[in-house]
Amino acid sequence: DVKVTQSSRYLVKRTGEKVFLECVQDMDHENMFWYRQDPGLGLRLIYFSYDVKMKEKGDIPEGYSVSREKKERFSLILESASTNQTSMYLCASSLGGGLQREQFFGPGTRLTVL
Amino acid sequence: QQQVKQSPQSLIVQKGGISIINCAYENTAFDYFPWYQQFPGKGPALLIAIRPDVSEKKEGRFTISFNKSAKQFSLHIMDSQPGDSATYFCAARSYNQGGKLIFGQGTELSVKP
């Protein structure tokens, strides 16, 4: 079974703090994604990566950065957390090749910024 | 700009009834349309998917109907069960954007016993 794990299920941070969300997948997938999920807005893509050290902006990259130093690990960084970044963050991975590849999701990290 | 519009936002169905969730899109470059199911506390998981060269795909009680000319697709859940209660997301992918998916807003389905 494909497994995507996220470092924390719940996280509470203060405004202005630097926040790291970690994601690890165990299926040697080339593609990795970070989404945020908000009620009524669905899943919105923040950043994605097709390969190690490569990153592409998604639809809402402002206020976020990412790092992919190893194939299995994709980190989302909030340089200076703000209250409007309170959300559920979901990591996903998929095989490469650009075809109709299923995305496998982690359980999510619910981040609250106070 | 929401490229995939999903409705309704929430849906209540009696056990044994048919649940119908609709999605509409604008980008004619979309070539893959998956539906994801998400239970509380879990990440979304692929439920069923369709390509635009077919008008319908059925897997058990779940059916996708696809209307290419109208740029609409829908999920039908036949004989809905309380265990189907979850949030459902439609999505679409463009052939020229690799593995990137555009998701709809989600539908929270509640099946009453």
Side-chain angles (χ1 to χ4, degrees):
Chain A
D1 275 356
V2 174
K3 195 163 186 181
V4 179
T5 57
Q6 296 184 228
S7 51
S8 305
R9 294 300 301 272
Y10 300 93
L11 209 52
V12 179
K13 295 293 182 181
R14 297 282 180 187
T15 300
E17 279 192 79
K18 190 169 186 176
V19 182
F20 292 87
L21 301 182
E22 304 285 340
C23 175
V24 178
Q25 50 94 4
D26 67 358
M27 283 302 290
D28 202 33
H29 283 172
E30 288 80 10
N31 301 335
M32 295 190 76
F33 308 84
W34 275 107
Y35 296 90
R36 63 177 283 176
Q37 180 178 2
D38 300 288
L41 296 177
L43 278 68
R44 293 179 293 165
L45 183 64
I46 304 171
Y47 267 96
F48 58 107
S49 170
Y50 290 138
D51 201 350
V52 175
K53 296 192 184 295
M54 296 191 70
K55 60 184 178 184
E56 297 278 347
K57 291 181 179 179
D59 300 315
I60 52 164
E62 295 78 20
Y64 303 94
S65 62
V66 291
S67 173
R68 193 166 180 200
E69 296 295 319
K70 294 185 177 181
K71 189 175 185 180
E72 68 271 18
R73 188 179 298 268
F74 193 34
S75 303
L76 180 69
I77 303 157
L78 287 66
E79 295 290 342
S80 178
S82 63
T83 55
N84 63 13
Q85 293 178 310
T86 291
S87 186
M88 171 69 81
Y89 289 88
L90 291 164
C91 175
S93 71
S94 72
L95 285 168
L99 299 177
Q100 291 136 5
R101 305 292 192 183
E102 176 181 355
Q103 288 190 18
F104 294 86
F105 283 83
T109 295
R110 184 165 294 282
L111 172 67
T112 301
V113 182
L114 301 176
Chain B
Q1 177 183 349
Q2 190 72 37
Q3 296 188 52
V4 179
K5 295 183 178 181
Q6 182 173 347
S7 62
Q9 189 168 349
S10 63
L11 182 62
I12 300 174
V13 174
Q14 290 297 125
K15 179 182 176 182
I18 302 173
S19 304
I20 302 173
I21 304 170
N22 300 298
C23 285
Y25 65 97
E26 297 175 357
N27 187 348
T28 55
F30 288 150
D31 67 342
Y32 172 64
F33 301 88
W35 284 87
Y36 280 77
Q37 179 187 54
Q38 183 182 30
F39 293 106
K42 304 286 187 182
L46 180 65
L47 179 64
I48 186 172
I50 197 168
R51 297 188 315 176
D53 53 351
V54 298
S55 60
E56 186 176 280
K57 183 173 181 180
K58 185 176 181 180
E59 291 184 1
R61 295 184 295 108
F62 299 90
T63 299
I64 301 178
S65 297
F66 188 83
N67 186 330
K68 189 174 182 178
S69 61
K71 290 186 282 186
Q72 295 175 347
F73 59 110
S74 59
L75 177 69
H76 295 235
I77 306 174
M78 311 299 289
D79 186 26
S80 298
Q81 299 297 312
D84 297 330
S85 297
T87 300
Y88 293 81
F89 294 96
C90 63
R93 199 207 65 153
S94 172
Y95 65 84
N96 59 2
Q97 292 188 30
K100 177 181 173 182
L101 289 173
I102 306 296
F103 284 85
Q105 296 93 326
T107 296
E108 190 171 348
L109 171 66
S110 177
V111 181
K112 299 298 186 185

